[in-house]
Amino acid sequence: DAGVTQSPTHLIKTRGQHVTLRCSPISGHKSVSWYQQVLGQGPQFIFQYYEKEERGRGNFPDRFSARQFPNYSSELNVNALLLGDSALYLCASSQEQGRFRSETQYFGPGTRLLVL
Amino acid sequence: GESVGLHLPTLSVQEGDNSIINCAYSNSASDYFIWYKQESGKGPQFIIDIRSNMDKRQGQRVTVLLNKTVKHLSLQIAATQPGDSAVYFCAEIISGGYNKLIFGAGTRLAVHP
């Protein structure tokens, strides 16, 4: 079975542009979470979606938005890019929403975004 | 506050030795912890988890210990191999109706032959 897939793998943008990152969860997984990982740091939680609804949001500005589709895939959108948005963007999927804390999140390889 | 940190940023060990990676957490209400391994160019890979009602859990060559009194977590890797070289993160589950992982900064494990 395929794991979590993300596209593109790498992306270069300039300040002020917008970007859309895509994620396909593991087959059968209904929940998708997005994390930002700046070089040398641990991942930081951005969003969690379950059944197409936003269930949680981290401390990120409104320039960051996301959505989940009926097939449970997800997009992360970032508008008005800043240099500080350069990071590895990780998508993780789990079977359920996570009411039970043992719902393991499985990560994709990430999309590396560079903002110039 | 919500934070998970690590005592050592880099750990160097000889192949075949045992490795111990430590982690401190600050949220006493957290009740679930996970260790992830991240190799260069890859996403974090689940290693092992532990609930707060447990003190110890063992997997294949790995053991996680939880000391709730001092809010400390450790990952022990037996007979460390070159393939174990990676950055290791502990993550804390924050309650609130969904699984929000709070990661620490990570410890780099370097295994030398």
Side-chain angles (χ1 to χ4, degrees), chain A residues 1-8 21-34 67-69 71-76 90-94 106-111:
Chain A
D1 285 343
V4 177
T5 59
Q6 294 186 243
S7 62
L21 310 180
R22 296 178 175 82
C23 170
S24 292
I26 292 171
S27 178
H29 285 195
K30 299 179 180 179
S31 180
V32 169
S33 300
W34 288 95
R67 56 179 175 168
Q68 187 177 32
F69 299 98
N71 66 353
Y72 303 111
S73 66
S74 177
E75 285 183 352
L76 175 69
L90 294 162
C91 173
S93 76
S94 59
Y106 296 91
F107 285 83
T111 293

Side-chain angles (χ1 to χ4, degrees), chain B residues 7 17 24-25 33 36-37 51 63 71 88 106:
Chain B
H7 294 305
D17 288 350
Y25 64 94
F33 304 89
Y36 282 94
K37 171 187 179 183
R51 295 178 181 272
T63 301
K71 290 185 283 188
Y88 290 80

Side-chain angles (χ1 to χ4, degrees), chain A residues 35 37 40-43 45 48 55-57 88 90 97-105 107-109, chain B residues 31-32 36 38 41-44 46 49 51 89 93-101 103-106:
Chain A
Y35 293 80
Q37 186 176 23
Q41 297 182 18
F45 174 78
Q48 186 178 92
R55 294 296 186 176
R57 183 187 182 109
L88 180 68
L90 294 162
Q97 175 185 347
R99 293 171 298 165
F100 307 103
R101 298 183 183 87
S102 60
E103 288 294 339
T104 303
Q105 294 187 32
F107 285 83
Chain B
D31 62 356
Y32 182 55
Y36 282 94
Q38 188 173 26
K42 297 183 179 180
F46 174 87
D49 58 1
R51 295 178 181 272
F89 295 96
I93 290 289
I94 301 295
S95 63
Y98 61 96
N99 273 356
K100 171 185 176 182
L101 289 167
F103 285 85

Side-chain angles (χ1 to χ4, degrees), chain B residues 2-24:
Chain B
E2 301 174 352
S3 66
V4 175
L6 299 174
H7 294 305
L8 298 173
T10 305
L11 177 65
S12 294
V13 300
Q14 292 295 122
E15 181 178 356
D17 288 350
N18 296 331
S19 303
I20 300 177
I21 301 172
N22 296 302
C23 174

